[in-house]
Amino acid sequence: MSLFCSLLLILVIVLLYLCWFFKKSHTYFNDKCFPTLEPTFVLGNLADAILLRKSLAVTVYDLYEKLRPYKYAGLYWLHRPFVMLRDPEMIKNILIRDFAHFPDRGIHCDEKEEPLNNNLIRMGSGDKWKCIRMKISPLFTSGKLKMIIPPVQECANKLSEVIDRTQGEPFDMKELSERFSIDVIGNCAFGMDTSALENPRSPFLKMGKEIFKFRYQPIIRHFFPALKKFWIKIFNLRYIDKEVETFFSNIIHEAIKLREKSQTTKNDLMDSLLALRNDNVDDCANLKMN
């Protein structure tokens, strides 16, 4: 048998196996007599989002509407089964009463390789997640959130001034909203004046736009959450571009050094996070993740 025939035979066997695998995977809910929608071969029920014909939000909404007679139903993310809930009481139980049993979002990242993505959403479940959530939750009480009102108001005043300077001439509202958002985030999160409203060439604005710029890497990571670390490194499949991550990481470190050196307080989120760090938040660092 020639090399070509051997390779062709292997290819046919692999394709047949993949066909069988996806067909078998897409019978998971049928075998359990669970309400479901007919999936698209290989892509499952999120084909429109995977092929970028619709946003993920619109795709999920369409599925939600199609399942209107049911309180819940089974769907497929490629070959992976998942359950969509439509019953408010069941949703309330998962998000509130039984939340401790449902912390894992199924989208993980390496905290050493991608430190900015090491958050509660992508951290997975386990003792470390519970510890950090317990320490961070008090930062978002109504009293703490009221502290961000003054800096937001200050940014709103600057926005009003910039609009007034246009003297009725047309301007790009989307771009202006981006600059306003960057100033709000910079003031509230970092306690820094990013000057994005005053300076359209602000480096904060540039890097902020890069975060929301279309990149295929996060899409691949999102739809293939079980990718091994090896493949992520080989194809550089990062959620956030390395340059952007380095920029914001340096900004955070510089802000911390400046606060500690000057001993100044602004009663903002950065002060709360520094107080949290000094309150033995590192106790969570060595805990296990499941």
Side-chain angles (χ1 to χ4, degrees):
M1 185 181 294
S2 66
L3 178 61
F4 174 78
C5 291
S6 299
L7 292 175
L8 183 61
L9 179 61
I10 293 172
L11 179 62
V12 170
I13 292 173
V14 170
L15 289 175
L16 288 174
Y17 170 76
L18 290 176
C19 289
W20 172 84
F21 174 76
F22 279 101
K23 281 287 186 183
K24 180 66 176 174
S25 299
H26 290 169
T27 63
Y28 178 84
F29 291 114
N30 300 87
D31 295 342
K32 292 175 170 49
C33 299
F34 206 82
T36 185
L37 295 175
E38 187 65 27
T40 301
F41 180 63
V42 177
L43 302 179
N45 296 104
L46 299 177
D48 287 337
I50 294 172
L51 297 176
L52 302 181
R53 293 195 293 243
K54 297 179 181 178
S55 70
L56 180 60
V58 172
T59 303
V60 171
Y61 176 77
D62 289 344
L63 293 171
Y64 184 87
E65 288 298 307
K66 290 178 182 178
L67 295 170
R68 184 168 290 280
Y70 303 105
K71 290 185 176 182
Y72 55 84
L75 300 171
Y76 299 94
W77 183 304
L78 298 177
H79 68 285
R80 299 172 67 200
F82 69 93
V83 176
M84 175 177 281
L85 302 179
R86 299 191 80 262
D87 179 60
E89 194 61 31
M90 294 177 69
I91 295 172
K92 187 186 295 185
N93 285 339
I94 288 177
L95 294 179
I96 301 175
R97 300 191 190 105
D98 300 321
F99 180 73
H101 300 288
F102 298 94
D104 200 330
R105 300 295 187 273
I107 306 173
H108 302 153
C109 72
D110 188 327
E111 61 183 89
K112 293 182 179 179
E113 294 292 330
E114 300 177 87
L116 289 188
N117 271 301
N118 185 32
N119 51 56
L120 291 176
I121 294 176
R122 293 195 170 99
M123 194 175 287
S125 58
D127 293 335
K128 184 177 180 180
W129 179 90
K130 292 177 182 177
C131 179
I132 292 180
R133 181 176 182 271
M134 180 182 67
K135 291 178 178 290
I136 287 180
S137 293
L139 300 184
F140 297 94
T141 60
S142 58
K144 292 283 187 180
L145 291 176
K146 284 179 181 178
M147 295 192 308
I148 72 172
I149 294 177
V152 171
Q153 183 63 57
E154 182 182 342
C155 294
N157 292 337
K158 288 183 181 179
L159 175 63
S160 180
E161 292 172 6
V162 172
I163 293 176
D164 289 340
R165 287 202 294 268
T166 63
Q167 297 181 344
E169 292 295 321
F171 59 89
D172 189 337
M173 191 62 208
K174 179 178 179 294
E175 182 188 2
L176 199 57
S177 298
E178 290 174 346
R179 290 156 60 186
F180 170 72
S181 299
I182 290 296
D183 273 354
V184 169
I185 294 171
N187 272 272
C188 296
F190 305 113
M192 300 178 65
D193 182 8
T194 57
S195 301
L197 279 168
E198 300 292 338
N199 178 19
R201 296 183 179 180
S202 165
F204 265 92
L205 180 60
K206 177 186 174 183
M207 291 301 173
K209 286 183 175 181
E210 286 294 322
I211 290 179
F212 297 103
K213 186 177 179 181
F214 176 81
R215 298 172 61 246
Y216 71 87
Q217 293 94 331
I219 295 175
I220 295 175
R221 288 285 299 276
H222 198 67
F223 285 109
F224 298 93
L227 276 175
K228 299 297 182 184
K229 186 176 178 180
F230 171 79
W231 298 110
I232 293 172
K233 279 191 171 183
I234 288 293
F235 294 102
N236 191 30
L237 302 176
R238 303 176 63 88
Y239 282 111
I240 299 176
D241 184 75
K242 181 66 175 176
E243 181 185 2
V244 176
E245 187 168 65
T246 301
F247 175 82
F248 283 105
S249 294
N250 290 339
I251 288 294
I252 293 170
H253 290 308
E254 288 299 320
I256 291 173
K257 287 181 182 178
L258 185 62
R259 291 286 178 95
E260 291 180 335
K261 184 177 180 180
S262 63
Q263 295 294 312
T264 57
T265 57
K266 297 185 178 181
N267 290 324
D268 56 9
L269 181 61
M270 181 62 72
D271 279 345
S272 299
L273 290 173
L274 284 172
L276 185 64
R277 189 185 72 164
N278 296 333
D279 190 26
N280 297 322
V281 72
D282 291 336
D283 292 346
C284 302
N286 298 319
L287 294 178
K288 276 188 176 182
M289 293 299 299
N290 294 334

